[in-house]
Amino acid sequence: MPRLIDPGSPPPIGLEAAIDRLVAIGFDSEDAAAWDAAAPILAALSADRGFLGDIAVAALKRCDDAPGVYGPPVMMLSQGVGNWLLRANLWPAETDAVLRASGRRAFFYDLPHDHNFSFLTIGHHGPGYESDYWEVDALPLGHVGEAVALRALGRRRLEPGTMLLYRAHRDVHAQRPPRAFSVTLNLMEASGREPWRNQYRFDTDAGRIAGLLNVTAIEGLLPLAAHLGGGNGADLLHHIAARHPVDRIRFAAVRALAGAAEGAAARMAILEAAARRGDRFVSAGAAHVLAEAPAVLRWAGQRTPEWTHKRLESHPIPA
Ligand SMILES: [Fe+2]
C-alpha cells in the first residue's frame, strides 16, 4: 500500500510560493528520505482552494491550447525547475461526458499497474478515486508473461486531504472512477530515468506481468534501422544489443535483428546466439521467443533444429 503521510494542516500558499519552497529545501526526488519534507508544501498548495481554478480560467481566456501542457487527464503546473514536476490529475466520474467519450482506458481506470517513478499525491477536490491495491516485494526479470508475487491489500478511496506516497516499482493499483469529478495534486519524480525504467500492467488474477506501459522512441527506430539501415544499421544494432545499458533495449535490438533476418533459420540463429550469451534478461527473452519456435516451424513445414530443444533445456523459460 502506498505510504500514508500526515502533512499536518499548513496554511495555504500559492503555486509560485510552493515551487519556491521546494527549491529552497533542495527537494531531490531521487532521495527516498526527501518526500516527507516536501509533503507539507504540497498540502499547503492544496489548501489554496483557488489557484487551480484561476489557472484554468486564465488559460481559457487566452484560448491556450499548448500541446503537451494541458490535456484532459493532466494539467502541468511546474516542470523543469528540479528533478521533479508538479501537476494536477483530473479524474472524471462514470457519468462525466469526457469519460463516456474517451473511455475508461484513457484515464487508466481498471488497469492494474505500477509506476516507474515515485510520487506524492493528495486528494484536492471531489470525493476521490478508489483503488484496489497490491504490493510487490521483488519484480522478476521483467518479461511479459512472467509470474509476479502480488500481495493484495484491499481497496481504498483517496479522500480529500489524504496524502499518499506511491513508491516506484513497489505499489500496484487499479483505479475506479470516483463518484463525482475529482482532482489530485501530484509531486512527481522527473529525474530523466523514467523512460528507461519499466512500468508494467499486471494480470492480477493470474499473478503475471501483462504488458509494458512505457515504450521509448528508440524502440520504434530499431526495426527501422534493421530493415532499412543496411550494413551500418546492422552494425549499430549489434552494438546496441551488446552494449546498451538498458536490458529492455538490448533485447529489442536482438528482436529487431531477428525480425529483419532472411528466413526462419537465420532468425532463429540470431535468437539462439542471444540465448547463449549469458546476458540474463536478453538470454531469457530469447529463450522465451524460441520456446514458441518449434510450433511455428512445424506450421511452416520446416524442420525444428536440434539445438532448439537443447537450448530450451539449458535456458528454461522464466516461470
Ligand atoms: Fe497509477
Side-chain angles (χ1 to χ4, degrees):
M1 180 75 80
R3 183 155 69 84
L4 184 64
I5 292 181
D6 179 5
S9 303
I13 57 173
L15 178 58
E16 293 307 316
I19 295 168
D20 288 346
R21 283 201 196 176
L22 287 167
V23 171
I25 66 168
F27 174 62
D28 177 3
S29 68
E30 294 176 77
D31 178 1
W35 294 95
D36 284 293
I41 300 173
L42 187 64
L45 177 62
S46 184
D48 181 342
R49 305 309 299 165
F51 88 95
L52 200 54
D54 291 345
I55 291 173
V57 169
L60 283 170
K61 283 183 175 175
R62 290 195 307 271
C63 297
D64 196 342
D65 194 21
V69 177
Y70 305 117
V74 168
M75 179 184 281
M76 195 64 71
L77 302 174
S78 177
Q79 193 173 22
V81 177
N83 64 355
W84 47 269
L85 59 84
L86 270 171
R87 74 184 198 187
N89 272 55
L90 320 181
W91 303 103
E94 199 89 61
T95 50
D96 285 337
V98 67
L99 180 53
R100 293 208 305 273
S102 303
R104 299 166 77 97
R105 266 295 173 92
F107 300 92
F108 265 47
Y109 291 145
D110 311 320
L111 185 75
H113 63 278
D114 68 353
H115 307 90
N116 53 353
F117 49 85
S118 295
F119 66 102
L120 267 181
T121 188
I122 185 168
H124 179 68
H125 172 82
Y129 65 73
E130 287 189 335
S131 271
D132 291 317
Y133 286 102
W134 297 263
E135 199 166 296
V136 280
D137 289 329
L139 279 167
L141 282 176
H143 286 293
V144 173
E146 282 182 346
V148 184
L150 289 164
R151 199 162 58 255
L153 298 171
R155 181 171 297 175
R156 179 185 183 116
R157 182 162 59 90
L158 187 61
E159 298 168 359
T162 298
M163 183 176 283
L164 295 174
L165 174 65
Y166 282 76
R167 300 159 299 175
H169 307 301
R170 178 132 195 196
D171 296 309
V172 173
H173 72 151
Q175 290 150 292
R176 301 153 55 88
R179 290 196 311 275
F181 176 75
S182 297
V183 179
T184 55
L185 299 184
N186 293 346
L187 173 62
M188 307 173 63
E189 179 180 347
S191 59
R193 298 184 300 175
E194 299 79 24
W196 309 111
R197 300 193 299 190
N198 296 348
Q199 181 180 20
Y200 299 107
R201 61 187 170 86
F202 296 94
D203 179 338
T204 52
D205 292 329
R208 294 190 178 277
I209 293 177
L212 193 67
L213 288 173
N214 63 322
V215 178
T216 57
I218 191 174
E219 284 151 289
L221 293 173
L222 293 171
L224 268 180
H227 283 275
L228 304 174
N232 278 343
D235 287 347
L236 182 59
L237 284 170
H238 280 290
H239 179 78
I240 291 172
R243 305 291 293 276
H244 198 282
V246 178
D247 50 19
R248 188 180 90 227
I249 304 298
R250 292 197 303 278
F251 184 47
V254 168
R255 295 199 74 162
L257 283 165
E262 285 284 334
R267 281 197 287 279
M268 294 183 73
I270 290 171
L271 291 164
E272 165 68 9
R276 290 178 190 276
R277 211 168 66 199
D279 178 330
R280 194 162 168 254
F281 184 90
V282 172
S283 296
H288 198 88
V289 175
L290 283 166
E292 298 168 3
V296 173
L297 288 173
R298 274 198 303 279
W299 176 80
Q302 298 190 38
R303 197 168 68 83
T304 305
E306 194 59 35
W307 47 257
T308 300
H309 300 295
K310 287 189 177 145
R311 184 220 35 83
L312 289 175
E313 286 162 18
S314 56
H315 296 275
I317 305 162

